[in-house]
Amino acid sequence: MISVSHLSKHFDSFKAVDDLSFSVKPGDIVGFLGPNGAGKSTTMKMLTGFLRPTSGDITVDGLSISEHAKAIQAKIGYLPEGAPAYGDMTVIQFLNFIADVRGLKGDTKTRSIQSVIEKVTLADVLDRPIENLSKGFKRRVGLAQAIIHDPQILILDEPTDGLDPNQKHQVRELIQQLSKDKLVIVSTHILEEVTAVCNRVMVIADGKLRFDDTPEGLLKQSRYHKAITLHLSYQSDISGLAELAGVADMEVDRPTGKVTLFPEPGMDILHLVTEYIQLRKLPVDTLYIEQGRLDEVFRQITQQEVA
Amino acid sequence: MSQVGTIFRREFASFFATPVAYVFITIFLVLSGVFSFFIGQLYERGQADLLPFFNFHPWLYLFLVPAIAMRSWSEERKSGTIELLMTLPVTTTQAVLGKFFAAWAVLGLSLLLTFPLWLTVNYLGNPDNGIIVAAYLGSWLMAGGFLAISLCMSALTKNQVVAFILAIVVCFIFVLSGSGVVLDAFQGWAPSIVLDTVASFSFLTHFEAMAKGVLALNDVAYFLIVMVIWLVANHMVISQKKAD
């Protein structure tokens, strides 16, 4: 359980994090979303005790981080931005070092290292110096380092940045496997990532919390949520669609010929639309319900002017 | 305490994983040989002792210790591993001590590897080996003083070259604070107590007796205090300024 109250961090006159309050409980997989420079990394650095807040407090399981930093850090697994690691060490040396620092000994240590190597598939590169590894492997070494002690709290700063689609998929699966009863905070600016792995989304912009709900809640914010998009195989009169009760608006995308019908808030318009199509025998070849468009919601939330 | 050991092992191994330790030890051995024989006239003096060898140590350390210490913290800052290190359950004190002892051990190892010189004087004559051991210990203590200063300078910046130059400058002031170069700056306006205090900071003065094999309590205490003060400063720099 992490609770953050009125957290602020100022760098000179710049407010990187501005009066942030939230709490996260075990089982939550939180996606930290926000444009670059929004304060995601700064917040994570304060959660892990690397940076001291200008004001406000963070407590983890009832302990305040300003007084019990080391006890809290022992519970946390952290992947800093860019996955820094000691380049002159080989992968196995590095994992051994982290295991030692984490206080793992004897059999437990051997088993932890073994299991982490399997989980993030590092077996092929164990004896290579980290500085010679590809970006994907470096990121995986960083992940391995973060989960080696099976932490209750996992904080990952852009874990999939710079990975190819297969590696991204792997990392997401890993996060999902890990997080049965754990508390995970993942920062990212990849929107699909959030719906793929998280059960809670926080959007941060200009150091402020702009949104905090489930990924579905985020999709619901979209104008496109439950909108219907259809395509006709040849030109016909569709003006009647816009007149249907419950349809608020109709948009036609000229280049693709796709027609999108926006519902009135809270209305389900699928049956109305399909009835109309059957009645008029419209030559529809594609029809689907939109889930909501994340990029549009993201822009809407993060670019709103501060009043 | 075990955390200090873990950091120590990582740092010590890292000196040998990169060419740093090998280059350092080689240069140290070559230079100390050159200084002792060609400039110190170890052979021509006809005395069975290592005084010419030890007399050059302050000057060797002046350049070599900052060189071995410069990457210690700068590299952590530059590569971002400082964020990793400081969010592991390791206190700043443990990290500072681990790094210090690792580099100090490399310096100790370099000193030990000068044993052929000791064999040489024992072959040529009958030196007082007690004096030589004491002088070795004194030299290692002084190296610790140089090292603590250099590590603190390394903590100040993420640029290794800047760390190196800063360390040389500060070390140079400490080496020469008993001599005219530094004292002249105070002469004439500062009261004599200031002058005496500044003069008493000199590494050269404190090492003079040690090089002759006399481990006086005040000299030993002086170098220990120098180490403690600069390590505390190092700790303060790191805890005040962790990022960038």
Side-chain angles (χ1 to χ4, degrees):
Chain A
M1 173 85 180
I2 298 180
S3 53
V4 170
S5 64
H6 303 291
L7 188 72
S8 295
K9 179 73 189 178
H10 301 175
F11 294 110
D12 298 322
S13 63
F14 174 68
K15 289 180 183 171
V17 174
D18 192 6
D19 198 30
L20 210 58
S21 298
F22 59 87
S23 67
V24 189
K25 57 182 194 309
D28 280 359
I29 309 174
V30 180
F32 239 36
L33 272 180
N36 289 330
K40 292 174 301 206
S41 289
T42 309
T43 307
M44 292 187 141
K45 282 177 178 152
M46 288 191 281
L47 288 176
T48 52
F50 181 63
L51 287 181
R52 219 172 297 147
T54 307
S55 64
D57 196 24
I58 299 168
T59 58
V60 177
D61 295 340
L63 299 175
S64 162
I65 203 158
S66 51
E67 288 154 39
H68 302 96
K70 290 300 147 189
I72 289 170
Q73 282 164 350
K75 297 182 188 184
I76 296 181
Y78 177 41
L79 172 71
E81 193 177 6
Y86 293 106
D88 52 50
M89 298 177 104
T90 63
V91 174
I92 190 73
Q93 283 171 342
F94 182 65
L95 294 179
N96 263 301
F97 166 66
I98 298 291
D100 286 338
V101 171
R102 292 289 186 185
L104 302 172
K105 286 190 180 72
D107 269 358
T108 333
K109 180 179 157 184
T110 328
R111 254 182 287 121
S112 306
I113 293 178
Q114 205 49 52
S115 97
V116 100
I117 289 169
E118 277 164 29
K119 272 186 192 154
V120 292
T121 41
L122 286 172
D124 295 340
V125 295
L126 285 183
D127 293 316
R128 299 245 309 263
I130 295 174
E131 60 196 355
N132 297 344
L133 295 180
S134 69
K135 210 171 176 182
F137 270 118
K138 276 184 191 161
R139 195 61 49 135
R140 283 194 252 172
V141 171
L143 267 171
Q145 160 282 121
I147 59 175
I148 200 164
H149 56 303
D150 195 24
Q152 281 311 299
I153 299 170
L154 196 57
I155 297 181
L156 308 172
D157 200 349
E158 301 192 355
T160 56
D161 185 37
L163 299 186
D164 68 36
N166 292 337
Q167 293 166 331
K168 276 183 191 163
H169 179 71
Q170 224 176 357
V171 169
R172 285 173 200 167
E173 280 200 327
L174 187 72
I175 294 171
Q176 276 170 325
Q177 280 167 27
L178 288 171
S179 48
K180 292 275 149 18
D181 49 347
K182 298 210 164 103
L183 189 167
V184 185
I185 301 178
V186 188
S187 88
T188 178
H189 45 240
I190 305 168
L191 299 163
E192 296 72 43
E193 200 135 84
V194 170
T195 40
V197 293
C198 303
N199 56 26
R200 184 172 164 190
V201 187
M202 285 192 213
V203 182
I204 294 185
D206 301 321
K208 289 194 174 68
L209 190 60
R210 290 280 173 79
F211 180 87
D212 182 1
D213 198 357
T214 57
E216 293 73 45
L218 188 66
L219 286 170
K220 274 187 198 152
Q221 299 267 311
S222 171
R223 201 159 70 96
Y224 284 89
H225 181 65
K226 287 199 170 165
I228 290 175
T229 298
L230 51 87
H231 184 259
L232 303 171
S233 34
Y234 54 85
Q235 204 108 49
S236 33
D237 178 27
I238 51 163
S239 55
L241 282 171
E243 309 297 321
L244 287 172
V247 175
D249 199 7
M250 179 167 82
E251 266 180 28
V252 182
D253 186 27
R254 293 283 167 207
T256 59
K258 281 188 175 166
V259 180
T260 306
L261 300 164
F262 298 98
E264 304 267 9
M267 293 289 284
D268 241 331
I269 54 167
L270 179 64
H271 63 284
L272 294 171
V273 174
T274 45
E275 262 171 34
Y276 183 85
I277 290 169
Q278 279 172 350
L279 199 69
R280 296 293 165 96
K281 304 224 168 1
L282 290 174
V284 173
D285 56 13
T286 315
L287 184 145
Y288 56 87
I289 305 177
E290 300 255 5
Q291 297 297 308
R293 295 189 183 173
L294 284 172
D295 52 348
E296 175 225 21
V297 182
F298 182 77
R299 243 177 289 130
Q300 181 193 320
I301 294 177
T302 57
Q303 288 182 343
Q304 57 187 228
E305 287 303 311
V306 188
Chain B
M1 213 51 208
S2 72
Q3 298 292 51
V4 178
T6 311
I7 303 287
F8 173 89
R9 281 194 299 279
R10 198 211 79 73
E11 290 288 323
F12 193 74
S14 141
F15 280 120
F16 290 91
T18 55
V20 175
Y22 301 105
V23 170
F24 177 85
I25 291 173
T26 311
I27 302 276
F28 180 78
L29 294 179
V30 168
L31 284 182
S32 59
V34 167
F35 279 143
S36 315
F37 282 100
F38 293 104
I39 306 172
Q41 313 264 300
L42 183 98
Y43 196 62
E44 290 81 352
R45 285 168 81 236
Q47 285 183 32
D49 62 16
L50 284 177
L51 195 60
F53 166 67
F54 288 115
N55 270 341
F56 286 106
H57 280 191
W59 306 105
L60 272 180
Y61 291 153
L62 179 58
F63 293 95
L64 291 181
V65 176
I68 203 167
M70 66 182 186
R71 63 189 279 280
S72 270
W73 289 105
S74 306
E75 182 76 14
E76 298 259 6
R77 285 197 192 285
K78 186 144 206 159
S79 68
T81 45
I82 189 163
E83 189 170 347
L84 182 73
L85 184 65
M86 291 294 137
T87 52
L88 287 170
V90 178
T91 63
T92 310
T93 313
Q94 288 164 341
V96 167
L97 288 179
K99 278 177 181 290
F100 173 75
F101 285 126
W104 206 20
V106 174
L107 293 170
L109 183 67
S110 318
L111 272 175
L112 285 179
L113 288 175
T114 60
F115 71 93
L117 274 173
W118 172 74
L119 290 180
T120 308
V121 287
N122 270 282
Y123 174 74
L124 292 171
N126 291 308
D128 184 337
N129 284 320
I131 285 181
I132 291 179
V133 170
Y136 264 114
L137 282 175
S139 175
W140 192 47
L141 266 176
M142 180 175 63
F146 279 103
L147 182 62
I149 294 173
S150 307
L151 284 176
C152 183
M153 295 301 126
S154 171
L156 283 172
T157 166
K158 63 174 146 193
N159 186 320
Q160 296 192 17
V161 177
V162 172
F164 178 68
I165 292 171
L166 280 177
I168 288 186
V169 169
V170 178
C171 289
F172 190 67
I173 292 170
F174 269 83
V175 168
L176 283 184
S177 65
S179 77
V181 183
V182 173
L183 289 183
D184 281 352
F186 293 90
Q187 204 91 45
W189 61 271
S192 64
I193 178 142
V194 174
L195 223 58
D196 290 346
T197 316
V198 172
S200 72
F201 285 154
S202 171
F203 276 19
L204 280 183
T205 328
H206 286 280
F207 185 62
E208 209 176 358
M210 282 180 161
K212 296 192 181 98
V214 184
L215 288 183
L217 184 63
N218 69 335
D219 296 332
V220 172
Y222 168 75
F223 284 116
L224 288 178
I225 289 168
V226 167
M227 280 184 245
V228 170
I229 288 175
W230 285 97
L231 288 177
V232 170
N234 188 345
H235 184 285
M236 280 161 56
V237 169
I238 293 296
S239 39
Q240 282 305 312
K241 197 178 86 145
K242 282 178 187 164
D244 63 68

